[in-house]
Amino acid sequence: MSLIEFDEWARAELESVEAALSRWVPAEAPAGLGQTMRYGVLDGGKRLRPLLVLAAARAVDGQCEAALRAACAVELIHAYSLIHDDMPCMDNDVLRRGKPTVHVQYGEAQAMLAGDAMQALAFEVLTPDAGVEPALQARLCSLLARSAGHAGMAGGQAIDLASIGATLDERTLRDMHHRKTGALLQASVLMGAACGRTNPVAWQALAEYGDALGLAFQVVDDILDVTQASETLGKTAGKDMDNNKPTYVSVLGLEPARRHAAQLRDQAHAALVRSGLPSTGLLGMLADKVVERDS
């Protein structure tokens, strides 16, 4: 697949995701809550997780309606996690996606409620009255819930907060980020795959692809945190170092971290080959984009 073809596909899919989120995130929620929710999820972000859902669904000839709903549900969970992550009780950040964080713009209580409402909305989006078979709804909800809960994103965030000022080895750091960042990225791939038909070999290979890509994303994030300016990143640069948090750069060093990201990309591509699926070009391009990004 050429870069031009990939860019055209991504542009069209991102427009679909943005339009669907705009439909499903209510502006009319009570006491300005809808406005806060929309501020937190619309018009910003890389939308990597929705693209992974849609690329995986395409690789298995998946159901379009289910895949779009899964893509939006994943992004709602991701956006809610960022709202809460930025709050003073956690990372206390003031910049996200190039604009003031939600609690800065609307206050801490409204930010907390917006995140809570977006988490609930994700599962509402996955369970329409018609258009997606109940068995598939249940599977998608299960995959998303497991990746976002104590064994995944929330658990990883708890480890992260407990590790401030601590010295972690690479194995412990990998476990933390497998949960905090990687679980939701891997779930994005598997939710897309669940929208079609796969055999056990292909499913396992896609899970391994998602695992490698999830860790690669975090390694690159840690690299960019120390090599790019806030204006480029759209969030506060150097935050992890200032907060004395362990990162791949602090544990491995800058150049070893770059080599590790490249190795993880190679692992992701190898997993796609093992899947035996004929249409994994989009997933391969997304792995390249993750490692080669500069923001």
Side-chain angles (χ1 to χ4, degrees), residues 13-25 42 68 72:
E13 295 290 17
L14 290 176
E15 288 176 358
S16 296
V17 168
E18 194 71 23
L21 285 170
S22 187
R23 290 196 305 273
W24 291 330
V25 180
L42 296 179
L68 179 60
C72 290

Side-chain angles (χ1 to χ4, degrees), residues 38-78:
R38 292 173 71 84
Y39 180 89
V41 72
L42 296 179
D43 303 321
K46 302 174 186 66
R47 304 289 195 234
L48 172 61
R49 292 152 191 82
L51 289 176
L52 284 169
V53 173
L54 297 168
R58 181 161 170 171
V60 299
D61 194 24
Q63 300 175 30
C64 293
E65 173 69 12
L68 179 60
R69 287 181 172 275
C72 290
V74 167
E75 188 65 11
L76 284 165
I77 292 292
H78 175 55

Side-chain angles (χ1 to χ4, degrees), residues 1-10 55 58 278-286 288:
M1 169 172 290
S2 71
L3 181 59
I4 292 176
E5 290 173 323
F6 173 84
D7 287 343
E8 289 177 350
W9 168 82
R58 181 161 170 171
S279 302
T280 59
L282 293 170
L283 291 170
M285 292 288 286
L286 284 168
D288 292 339

Side-chain angles (χ1 to χ4, degrees), residues 41-169:
V41 72
L42 296 179
D43 303 321
K46 302 174 186 66
R47 304 289 195 234
L48 172 61
R49 292 152 191 82
L51 289 176
L52 284 169
V53 173
L54 297 168
R58 181 161 170 171
V60 299
D61 194 24
Q63 300 175 30
C64 293
E65 173 69 12
L68 179 60
R69 287 181 172 275
C72 290
V74 167
E75 188 65 11
L76 284 165
I77 292 292
H78 175 55
Y80 118 72
S81 76
L82 297 181
I83 293 173
H84 284 188
D85 191 43
D86 288 335
M87 292 183 67
C89 60
M90 296 182 73
D91 278 358
N92 193 22
D93 215 334
V94 299
L95 185 67
R96 175 69 68 176
R97 294 175 170 175
K99 59 186 182 181
T101 48
V102 174
H103 73 274
V104 170
Q105 189 75 12
Y106 292 100
E108 292 181 36
Q110 191 80 333
M112 182 66 75
L113 290 171
D116 292 344
M118 287 159 65
Q119 183 184 40
L121 180 60
F123 294 97
E124 183 179 343
V125 167
L126 286 178
T127 53
D129 293 334
V132 181
E133 289 296 320
L136 179 53
Q137 292 184 21
R139 192 175 191 192
L140 293 173
C141 285
S142 177
L143 287 166
L144 185 57
R146 289 178 184 178
S147 71
H150 70 277
M153 183 180 70
Q157 183 67 63
I159 296 171
D160 187 35
L161 291 172
S163 300
I164 295 175
T167 300
L168 301 184
D169 58 24

Side-chain angles (χ1 to χ4, degrees), residues 170 173 219 247-258 260:
E170 196 272 332
L173 185 68
V219 174
T247 69
Y248 276 99
V249 173
S250 66
V251 171
L252 300 180
L254 182 57
E255 290 308 317
R258 285 175 169 151
H260 189 42

